[in-house]
Amino acid sequence: MSTQRPRNAVVTGVGVIAPNGLSAEAFWKSTSEGLGVLDRITREGCGHLPLRVAGEVRAFDASALIEERFLVQTDRFSHFAMAAASLALDDAGLGRDAPADPFSVGVVTAAGSGGGEFGQRELQKLWGQGSRFVGPYQSIAWFYAASTGQISIRGGFKGPCGVVASDEAGGLDSIAHAARAVRRGTGAMVVGAAEAPLAPYSMVCQLGYPELSTVEDPDRAYRPFTTGACGFVPAEGGAMLVVEDEARARERGATVRATVAGHAATFTGASRWEESREGLAHAIRGALDEAGCAPEEIDVVFADALGVPEADRAEALAIADALGAHGTRVPVTAPKTGTGRAYCGAPLLDTAAAVLAMEHGQVPPTPNVFDICHDLDLVMSRARPAELRTALVLSRGLMGSNAALIVRRGGESAR
């Protein structure tokens, strides 16, 4: 009989680049205060488009955070990811030097759109000036896997690497991928997602989504679970985590910030929001089963909160279906209404917020939402003090993916 100990996947580092903060600390301060930063889009070449409001990452100086040799070959979405990865590694106490055993550290990211700004710039050179003016990095900078590749090269990480392209919910799937790699024997994984969907080409592509909000008032453009729900507002940014083996983390004196306890994913089809009720509920039950967690143990739910009436109703019903009577009592929050939905980066920001909420004993509020029309205990106006040991994070994608993730405070196991 094998006596090998089970490997527990824990979060030891959190790095955030978001519209409301360029570090985990700044992000939490804004999130806990319910600060809304949605505003008119200021990116060059976007003024004539009907999409007017978004969550922009402002005051981000990539050159101050990333070496020039990486900047010239990467898009803004990879700049965000590399910066957030550095913050997460610093937070985990792993620094920026190559690890002693490079094969013990891997990287996995999720991506929804890739490097649209870089790609558009090079294609404009192609058609405006000719093929000789197109740089060689066009072949890699736009690609979904670019952030994984650049983080691994920059950090000297040679462990298992990958990219998850499974819709917005892929952000949660990437965390599950990392946790499973750790349980199979990898020492640590750098995992997360960051997006930069506000270049003109990327925005034109998004205009095909019927769920997109084109309301021009930032305070009314993204109000899920209300009678005024009119779609979602996109955003830049995201978060990266360091997920590692708990025994390894404790041996080197790292702080265990959370445990990745359970995850499940389903697929119900593009824009089939009524069907997402069953799919999301099934994912929640699967995550509960993997975590060995009873519904009443969930202390807070970070909602997907699409902002489309049919989708909001389906999510509220899915929470009730999966959690039973507890589903109408458990505090629910959607901090992303203050920053916008950063596609794959959105559930990573929610996961970072969940970790921070459990540490601070506060459920952050849902900005700009005051008059809900669903049977949910949605936290509004101001943060709510609470004893938080277990959080449920939900995500759905526009193409039909659904995912649920359960994280526990610190190194806590099932009750």
Side-chain angles (χ1 to χ4, degrees):
M1 179 182 295
S2 173
T3 58
Q4 186 175 7
R5 63 172 176 79
R7 293 172 63 89
N8 207 21
V10 299
V11 177
T12 55
V14 178
V16 174
I17 299 292
N20 64 347
L22 301 182
S23 68
E25 294 76 15
F27 167 72
W28 175 250
K29 184 176 187 299
S30 298
T31 299
S32 63
E33 292 175 356
L35 179 65
V37 297
L38 299 181
D39 207 342
R40 297 297 290 263
I41 296 170
T42 63
R43 302 299 301 283
E44 183 178 355
C46 299
H48 66 291
L49 297 172
L51 176 59
R52 305 291 189 182
V53 173
E56 288 189 28
V57 175
R58 304 176 190 271
F60 176 76
D61 182 3
S63 64
L65 302 169
I66 302 163
E67 302 87 340
E68 176 65 21
R69 68 187 180 96
F70 291 105
L71 288 180
V72 299
Q73 56 187 276
T74 48
D75 179 81
R76 185 173 171 88
F77 92 109
S78 292
H79 299 168
F80 292 152
M82 284 190 283
S86 292
L87 291 170
L89 287 163
D90 287 346
D91 184 46
L94 293 176
R96 302 184 188 184
D97 296 329
D101 177 8
F103 294 99
S104 69
V105 183
V107 182
V108 60
T109 64
S113 58
E117 184 175 71
F118 195 108
Q120 176 178 336
R121 183 174 66 245
E122 297 303 305
L123 288 175
Q124 286 175 328
K125 291 179 182 178
L126 173 65
W127 296 112
Q129 298 172 273
S131 59
R132 293 185 179 181
F133 292 86
V134 177
Y137 298 119
Q138 164 66 359
S139 62
I140 59 172
W142 67 271
F143 192 44
Y144 293 88
S147 294
T148 289
Q150 298 292 8
I151 291 169
S152 63
I153 293 168
R154 188 179 183 224
F157 306 136
K158 299 182 180 181
C161 291
V163 60
V164 177
S166 59
D167 221 347
E168 288 100 312
L172 295 186
D173 296 344
S174 70
I175 298 174
H177 185 100
R180 287 163 190 160
V182 166
R183 292 174 192 136
R184 288 194 298 265
T186 302
M189 295 289 291
V190 182
V191 56
E195 304 268 25
L198 300 184
Y201 167 77
S202 300
M203 287 174 58
V204 169
C205 292
Q206 291 169 78
L207 289 172
Y209 298 143
E211 296 88 356
L212 191 74
S213 172
T214 55
V215 172
E216 298 189 22
D217 182 350
D219 294 334
R220 297 181 177 274
Y222 184 24
R223 302 185 68 236
F225 303 118
T226 72
T227 55
C230 55
F232 75 93
V233 166
E236 298 182 303
M240 298 292 295
L241 310 174
V242 173
V243 174
E244 61 181 303
D245 173 47
E246 182 176 8
R248 163 193 156 120
R250 295 193 184 281
E251 183 178 340
R252 66 180 187 83
T255 299
V256 173
R257 304 191 67 170
T259 299
V260 181
H263 165 272
T266 62
F267 180 79
T268 47
S271 297
R272 298 178 180 176
W273 298 118
E274 288 188 8
E275 295 177 31
S276 75
R277 170 184 178 177
E278 181 181 9
L280 187 60
H282 191 83
I284 295 170
R285 294 189 191 102
L288 291 170
D289 287 345
E290 184 172 86
C293 180
E296 58 270 17
E297 292 180 64
I298 299 298
D299 298 314
V300 60
V301 176
F302 283 76
D304 175 61
L306 187 64
V308 173
E310 297 85 356
D312 293 346
R313 180 176 183 273
E315 182 172 22
L317 292 172
I319 293 171
D321 291 344
L323 301 185
H326 186 62
T328 61
R329 299 191 299 264
V330 63
V332 177
T333 184
K336 62 172 71 74
T337 61
T339 59
R341 290 172 66 94
Y343 294 99
C344 285
L348 262 298
L349 289 170
D350 279 347
T351 302
V355 172
L356 293 160
M358 289 188 291
E359 290 179 346
H360 290 271
Q362 284 189 320
V363 180
T366 306
N368 299 322
V369 174
F370 311 102
D371 54 344
I372 68 167
C373 58
H374 298 278
D375 192 10
L376 293 171
D377 182 14
L378 193 70
V379 179
M380 300 174 284
S381 301
R382 60 178 61 86
R384 182 187 300 177
E387 176 72 13
L388 304 177
R389 297 178 61 184
T390 306
L392 171 65
V393 183
L394 304 179
S395 182
R396 292 171 299 178
L398 299 177
M399 297 299 106
S401 294
N402 314 286
L405 179 78
I406 293 174
V407 289
R408 294 189 186 274
R409 184 178 65 194
E412 293 193 18
S413 58
R415 297 176 193 175

